[in-house]
Amino acid sequence: MKTHIFLYEGEGIGPELFDALRPFFSLLKEQVEFHYLTSFQDLSALNKPYYVLSGPFESEQQQARELNPLVMQYAYTSIPDEKKGHAGILAIPLNQKQSSGALKDLSVIRSSFDPAQKVVMIQQYQEQPQVWEDAMKAWTKLAFSNYEWKFEDANVLSFIKHGQYNKARQVVSSLEGANVLKALYASMYKSLNRAYTLIEVEDGYITMPMHGHAPDIVGMGIANPYALLMALCRLLSVAGLETLAQQIENQIESMFLEHPDQTTPDQGGVLNTEKYVAMIMECINL
């Protein structure tokens, strides 16, 4: 049985990125059936769990309006380093029911992080301190009952001021705190246009590129689909196609690292979107 993935094109460069990737999507036709969504309101009629690959939103406010009715459980953002590797930022809602759900066991941690590296929990003190304290207690209990994981805590001001972020690649924060940290890491790694976010909602999963809708380059044919492709790989993985997802991700990442000039201008290359996608399709071996 094929996996069903739903595509929401989003705003700005979103529609042209999805259009450029149609040939790539066809490579997966044996495993995946793709369907286009015109609105997030259409999700209510889908079987659960659903899997959605979303394009960029016009603003954070628009994204919040679209996603708020879906009851977010957590959001995980992967921000690649300039070299091989990445920082992972896990955001949990500061709502008693939702944060407790995300922290009920180590499943979210295991799916997001590497046990060989420490996990830093970063608090913004002005944000519902009692809820955060309860969340910290839950994580601490898990840490002491699972010796493979090492947890530390910090507040966002000292974490940034004293440069702790330079040594921490796995962090947990509130949604608001995570927004600050995502911008910090994307700037430090110079990889905003390659980062993506996975969001688990009550009825399914949504992935999307971290970059915005880039109205200044709409229609120029130079938008880069790298982040959208990595978001697709993460979506394939949570949908049960882990091997396929890892295979695609490894090949695209290797191609980027080995041939940095063979990409679009926003990543220092010379190719337009169509030629970049064509090159990916030539290099992908499924």
Side-chain angles (χ1 to χ4, degrees), residues 8 10-12 55-63 65-66 211-215:
Y8 178 73
E11 305 297 331
F57 291 91
E58 184 176 356
S59 64
E60 289 187 6
Q61 292 75 18
Q62 183 201 7
Q63 179 176 322
R65 286 195 301 270
E66 294 283 358
H211 62 68
H213 66 305

Side-chain angles (χ1 to χ4, degrees), residues 6 37 95 112 152 184 251:
F6 298 87
L37 290 174
N95 168 287
S112 304
E152 294 183 1
L184 173 65
Q251 292 180 79

Side-chain angles (χ1 to χ4, degrees), residues 248-285:
I248 296 172
E249 181 176 337
N250 288 346
Q251 292 180 79
I252 293 176
E253 183 181 53
S254 294
M255 185 174 62
F256 175 81
L257 295 174
E258 294 170 9
H259 306 284
D261 59 323
Q262 297 300 300
T263 184
T264 51
D266 61 337
Q267 294 182 351
V270 296
L271 303 180
N272 62 25
T273 309
E274 183 180 354
K275 290 182 178 179
Y276 180 71
V277 173
M279 183 187 66
I280 286 177
M281 292 182 63
E282 288 180 5
C283 296
I284 291 292
N285 180 26

Side-chain angles (χ1 to χ4, degrees), residues 46-202:
L46 302 181
N47 292 330
K48 315 301 188 289
Y50 47 68
Y51 304 97
V52 180
L53 177 64
S54 173
F57 291 91
E58 184 176 356
S59 64
E60 289 187 6
Q61 292 75 18
Q62 183 201 7
Q63 179 176 322
R65 286 195 301 270
E66 294 283 358
L67 299 183
N68 187 58
L70 303 179
V71 189
M72 182 186 298
Q73 305 299 305
Y74 70 88
Y76 171 80
T77 300
S78 175
I79 304 176
D81 199 339
E82 291 179 287
K83 300 179 180 179
K84 194 164 186 177
H86 69 278
I89 300 174
L90 180 62
I92 57 174
L94 282 188
N95 168 287
Q96 190 67 57
K97 180 180 177 181
Q98 289 168 274
S99 60
S100 298
L103 303 173
K104 62 184 177 181
D105 54 38
L106 279 177
S107 60
V108 175
I109 284 288
R110 290 185 190 280
S111 66
S112 304
F113 295 140
D114 177 1
Q117 300 182 44
K118 67 182 177 181
V119 177
V120 183
M121 299 190 68
I122 303 172
Q123 177 185 8
Q124 285 185 289
Y125 288 123
Q126 68 270 28
E127 298 178 302
Q128 303 188 43
Q130 187 58 53
V131 177
W132 185 265
E133 182 178 343
D134 291 342
M136 284 290 292
K137 288 178 180 178
W139 285 86
T140 301
K141 183 177 179 180
L142 288 173
F144 278 102
S145 62
N146 296 270
Y147 297 106
E148 63 183 316
W149 294 95
K150 180 181 179 182
F151 292 96
E152 294 183 1
D153 67 291
N155 74 73
V156 69
L157 294 178
S158 65
F159 185 77
I160 296 174
K161 181 178 179 181
H162 299 295
Q164 292 173 262
Y165 57 86
N166 287 308
K167 298 180 179 180
R169 285 177 168 256
Q170 301 185 150
V171 300
V172 181
S173 188
S174 65
L175 294 175
E176 291 78 4
N179 286 337
V180 174
L181 296 169
K182 287 189 296 184
L184 173 65
Y185 278 95
S187 175
M188 180 171 66
Y189 291 163
K190 300 178 182 178
S191 58
L192 172 62
N193 50 17
R194 294 194 292 130
Y196 71 86
T197 297
L198 164 73
I199 301 172
E200 180 180 357
V201 295
E202 197 168 47

Side-chain angles (χ1 to χ4, degrees), residues 10-17 56 212-223 273:
E11 305 297 331
I13 58 173
E16 60 189 89
L17 283 176
H213 66 305
D216 55 322
I217 61 170
V218 171
M220 297 175 63
I222 60 172
T273 309

